[in-house]
Amino acid sequence: MDGRDAAGAEIRIVGTERPDGLELRTRGLAARGRPELRVSGLPPYLGQGWARVLAALARRLARVPAGGPYEGPYETELTPEGEGGTPVLIGLEADRGDLVAVPPGGFTGRVEDWRREVLLALFPSAHS
């Protein structure tokens, strides 16, 4: 999956199958002085939806003014597609130079359930 941020620089979402599931990561944010984004351990059926989530997060991160390391926020809201809907809170945790998409602070359920719920909330058309 390819995308261009507001300044026209290309940002890619790449996937790799790992023993614990699919890993998705961005390529191109580091060229702008930003950390790459990553999510690991996804069941393959969530891959396409989470590629869209990473692309939305990457667009937001790419718009952060240049000059110095990315300082946060480490939680950010994404707005569902279409009209209405409640924004979804995504946590970002620093890990080995990347930012990893994680449940927001205070979440007490299973990560697997949160990942599925994020997609259902952000992409209501996936219900049909």
Side-chain angles (χ1 to χ4, degrees):
M1 176 175 275
D2 297 334
R4 295 196 180 268
D5 72 354
E10 187 173 76
I11 299 169
R12 293 179 179 266
I13 310 296
V14 297
T16 304
E17 289 186 48
R18 304 245 185 246
D20 67 337
L22 185 63
E23 178 178 273
L24 300 176
R25 60 185 315 110
T26 59
R27 292 281 189 246
L29 287 168
R32 299 181 57 86
R34 301 292 175 252
E36 299 293 348
L37 297 165
R38 178 172 36 109
V39 63
S40 300
L42 289 171
Y45 72 92
L46 296 181
Q48 186 174 9
W50 269 92
R52 292 175 67 186
V53 172
L54 285 185
L57 291 170
R59 281 190 298 274
R60 179 164 293 174
L61 190 57
R63 287 192 291 256
V64 174
Y70 180 70
E71 305 260 341
Y74 285 99
E75 288 186 346
T76 190
E77 287 184 345
L78 294 179
T79 305
E81 69 179 12
E83 304 237 353
T86 303
V88 174
L89 194 59
I90 307 282
L92 296 172
E93 184 176 283
D95 181 51
R96 296 176 289 165
D98 294 340
L99 288 178
V100 178
V102 297
F107 179 81
T108 58
R110 294 177 354 148
V111 172
E112 296 82 12
D113 295 337
W114 173 78
R115 289 175 171 169
R116 188 174 22 81
E117 290 168 10
V118 164
L119 298 183
L120 292 173
L122 289 176
F123 311 115
S125 60
H127 289 274
S128 50

